[in-house]
Amino acid sequence: MSYRDEQQALMLEVATLERENQRLQAELAEAEQRFKGLLSGEYEQRRKTVRKSCVMCTGNLLPVAIVAGHDVRNPLPLKMSTLRFGSPEGGFTASAPVRSYACGTCGYIHNFIDMDLGDLGGTLGEVG
């Protein structure tokens, strides 16, 4: 083989390797896009199930009752106002129950204001 033949063979091999490199880069970019899509889907699913896992240790959340009052047989459920300045007479005009969950692993208590109207029968309870 002469010098010119070797040079042409090397140039052909370099061109083949460059095409292969471009193909692999395109596949890598496509795989990265799929991975980002999977991550965003997983993040969205985790965001939707935030009540089901502890934000401190990712343990399981168990429902607990946190109530007010001294009478153990007739506890007062906790509610929080949903309208700050809604009534000219003062006082609360609407409220939502406070839901509590305790982590089964670390014991951290998570409190949520339950603004879901499905649990309340479609209307917010009146407090006077």
Side-chain angles (χ1 to χ4, degrees):
M1 249 187 168
S2 70
Y3 174 73
R4 189 170 292 262
D5 292 338
E6 288 179 17
Q7 186 179 10
Q8 286 177 348
L10 285 175
M11 289 176 68
L12 285 173
E13 189 172 342
V14 166
T16 303
L17 289 174
E18 285 178 350
R19 284 192 303 271
E20 180 74 12
N21 188 23
Q22 289 174 354
R23 184 185 66 79
L24 290 173
Q25 285 178 350
E27 285 182 18
L28 179 63
E30 181 183 326
E32 285 176 350
Q33 288 290 52
R34 282 194 316 248
F35 179 68
K36 286 179 184 177
L38 285 173
L39 277 182
S40 66
E42 185 178 313
Y43 173 76
E44 190 64 27
Q45 186 66 25
R46 204 177 304 145
R47 188 185 66 79
K48 287 179 183 177
T49 61
V50 71
R51 284 190 180 183
K52 296 178 183 170
S53 64
C54 179
V55 295
M56 303 299 278
C57 70
T58 65
N60 292 330
L61 292 182
L62 305 170
V64 294
I66 297 179
V67 295
H70 296 288
D71 187 1
V72 179
R73 294 177 191 220
N74 191 19
L76 301 171
L78 294 179
K79 292 189 175 197
M80 178 162 277
S81 171
T82 55
L83 296 174
R84 285 190 183 168
F85 309 107
S87 173
E89 295 87 33
F92 300 128
T93 56
S95 64
V98 176
R99 305 281 185 218
S100 298
Y101 298 90
C103 177
T105 306
C106 68
Y108 187 80
I109 297 176
H110 302 266
N111 296 305
F112 298 96
I113 300 170
D114 191 0
M115 298 297 288
D116 186 15
L117 294 178
D119 292 345
L120 301 172
T123 59
L124 291 174
E126 293 295 321
V127 176

